[in-house]
Amino acid sequence: MAVREIPMIIDGQAVLSQSQEWRDVVNPATQKVVARVPFCTAEEVEHAIASAHHAFREWRKVPLGKRMRIMLALQALIRDNTDELAALITEEHGKTLPDAKGEVGRGLEVVEHACSITSLQLGEVAENAASDVDVYTLHQPLGVGAGITAFNFPIMLPCFMFPLAIAAGNTFVLKPSEQDPSSTMRLVELAHEAGVPAGVLNVVHGGPEVANQIVDHPTIKALSFIGSTHVGSLLYKRAADAGKRMQAMMGAKNHCVVMPDANRSQAINNLLGSAFGAAGQRCMANSVVVLVGEARQWIDDIVDAAGQMKVGPGTQQDADLGPLVSPAAKERVLGLIETGEKEGATLLIDGRNCQVHDYPKGNFVGPTLFTDVTAEMTIYREEIFGPVLCVVNVETLDEAIAFINANPNGNGTSIFTNSGWVARRFETDIDVGQVGINVPIPVPVAYFSFTGSRASKLGDLGPNGKQAIAFWTQTKTVTARWFEPENVSSGINSTIALS
């Protein structure tokens, strides 16, 4: 089977890069090279941005109804091609096919939301704010936007960015992860099949140099980033220095609180699925479970259930989790597990020697579980991004809330309880941007905004929902008075008052 060469998309055309630097895209279950992706040259990135800039002149004038119909066509194409997109995700990322299909579905939600652009982009009007004076607002596109995405959701994360941006009248330059770009490229192909004009949506590839060129470029008006805290923080500072908008969704350390009154089997199954699904490679994974009071007695049941989870290639029908995305990711996780042992945490399940039949080269790490974890330990302070669950025991809900609020991150948290009072107390007092009540991964539906907080997010406005429309548009306020043709001025008004 021939190895795919991943193209750029510029002016609506697939263009092979002339770069001398290419990286292998590897199936993480087999280490087989399935594609090659370029690190584009500065001239190629410049060409993509210029294409978007040129296309903006006409795209911004395209009627809302036509933009809506393109989004309607795109959502239909995504739905029809879900299996193909999921297969590409699994081949290059490693997550199981059901999980990959679920990712496509969550991305589809955003495109469906973009189909409402005819109402989302409406302004406000006040008639007769003063004598014969009307005041109204226009939500106009910014110009050229850009997006930089992480490897862990190669369909969902681009959908968090370009559909609403271009539906609002902007043009776009996308830089997907170089680790698993094929599904993203297919998504962009479908966007053009749906009717997105040439130049409105462009794709380039690369590493830090390309990211810096994008964020520094004066033509780029806004940047959406999803990835590590280190990279996001550096890019956000550069964007601020350049005077442009940026939203950065970054690292996390999410907690799942389990109250003694919770439905035991539901809580355990959900927290383990959240912690170990996608091999823990989710920024919204609940990597810490906080057992409150008598819920600590559930630890044996948690260990038993985790031990029954199956590890295998993403194509294996009954696999619960697949491999990590790369050998480097596996080595990092193994090193953190070793550090956890050295720092005194109790290792109840050790996934380091996970062997999968017929896949000896896969980046597999099995479900791993630590108890006696404290806030000072490295495995608690760092985002592991692997199938490692830390268990913390506290006596009361107050202690659980205080423990979570002391963590610098604020991406998501969940609580499992059958008490409405406890749930309401938790959602009120917890200082985390996204809260799940008997929901393990509280990523909201796309018509609500993604609202991570504190160290997990930089920028006032997040992806999706109403916040995304505000992020990708600028508000222009018009104050208008029209005089009657025979109206005679009553003299000079030197005050600021509207009469």
Side-chain angles (χ1 to χ4, degrees), residues 339-381:
T339 299
E341 282 192 295
K342 290 179 179 178
E343 294 183 355
T346 301
L347 185 60
L348 292 185
I349 305 177
D350 188 349
R352 285 176 290 187
N353 295 315
C354 180
Q355 303 294 322
V356 176
H357 183 63
D358 289 337
Y359 293 88
K361 297 181 180 180
N363 309 319
F364 296 103
V365 177
T368 299
L369 190 147
F370 282 102
T371 59
D372 303 316
V373 176
T374 65
E376 295 75 27
M377 293 179 177
T378 304
I379 56 172
Y380 178 75
R381 289 185 290 105

Side-chain angles (χ1 to χ4, degrees), residues 4 108 151 173 194 214 230 422 459:
R4 296 186 293 269
L108 179 61
F151 75 88
V173 178
I214 288 171
H230 173 69
V422 166

Side-chain angles (χ1 to χ4, degrees), residues 124-161:
E124 299 173 315
V125 62
E127 186 181 14
N128 287 324
S131 297
D132 297 322
V133 172
D134 301 328
V135 180
Y136 51 93
T137 58
L138 307 172
H139 296 299
Q140 298 183 324
L142 296 169
V144 181
I148 298 173
T149 61
F151 75 88
N152 56 331
F153 289 98
I155 290 292
M156 187 178 76
L157 300 187
C159 284
F160 275 20
M161 298 178 182

Side-chain angles (χ1 to χ4, degrees), residues 64-104:
L64 279 169
K66 184 172 181 179
R67 288 188 235 145
M68 176 194 69
R69 287 188 288 275
I70 291 173
M71 290 296 112
L72 285 167
L74 177 57
Q75 62 86 24
L77 286 169
I78 292 173
R79 183 174 286 106
D80 290 344
N81 289 274
T82 292
D83 289 346
E84 179 190 1
L85 293 168
L88 289 169
I89 294 170
T90 295
E91 182 179 45
E92 295 182 353
H93 175 280
K95 67 178 65 175
T96 65
L97 280 171
D99 193 17
K101 290 179 182 179
E103 176 189 341
V104 176

